[in-house]
Amino acid sequence: MAINIVLLGPPGAGKGTQAKRLEAAYGMVQLSTGDMLRAAVAAGTPTGLRAKAVMEAGKLVDDEILIAMISERLSQPDASRGAIFDGFPRTVPQAEALDALLAGRGMRLDHVIELKVDDAALVERISGRYSCRKCGAGYHDRFQQPARAGVCDSCGGTDFLRRADDNAETVRKRLSEYYAKTAPILPYYQARGALCGVDGMADMDRVTAALAAILGPRPAGDAR
Ligand code: AMP
């Protein structure tokens, strides 16, 4: 049975890291709108051309673009396994559109989980992070270095990248966008009893365990 969940929380809360872990453990697909937009920018598509400057400024890309992107993504066959929405919805109109898109496919949101974090830690968390260009494994200057300097633990790659919007100034803009436009989603979900919170400041494994406790055991006989 497909489970659909939303991970909410400011940039740097750990949504991407936890979404990848849940994808591996439960088999739903991680739908990261940030990753989709970065791919569109890299490919130079019309959406990418519109989104690039907005992303670099730490602002939110138009709802209309995001809703069309998620709608198209949900039409692909793997989304019938359920999804972990990472970075979407980010506005109330996006949240309303997601409800309608899922309902149109006979699905609904099973859990909306807020990763609660301390703002002061976020700028440091984000400005030190980088990833392997080849396999996407995530690292951090202070908190998670590869075992051998300059070599990816997962794939042996030696080429790493940092996101253009992961600098301290843009991170502050992204945080203020979060509080102005995304935090109002919390009462939207709270009103219908769908929201629960997890301490995102805890050790990564503890956060994963808390999420797994909310999702419950993977259904027996699930062959994914
Ligand atoms: P993320 O990787 O989730 O931190 O997203 C990086 C950037 O992509 C954001 O700062 C926004 O500019 C843009 N973005 C990603 N998801 C959305 C969304 N749901 N709505 C609007 N803009 C988004």
Side-chain angles (χ1 to χ4, degrees), residues 132-137 139 151-160:
C132 170
R133 187 182 290 275
K134 198 165 144 206
C135 75
Y139 296 98
V151 182
C152 175
D153 294 339
S154 304
C155 74
T158 52
D159 198 8
F160 296 87

Side-chain angles (χ1 to χ4, degrees), residues 25 34 39 97 105 109 120 126 137 139 144 161 168 171 177 181 210 215 221-222:
R105 290 164 172 78
L109 278 180
I126 299 180
Y139 296 98
Q144 202 188 348
L161 49 91
V171 169
E177 283 284 270
K181 297 186 180 150
L215 265 62
D222 189 337

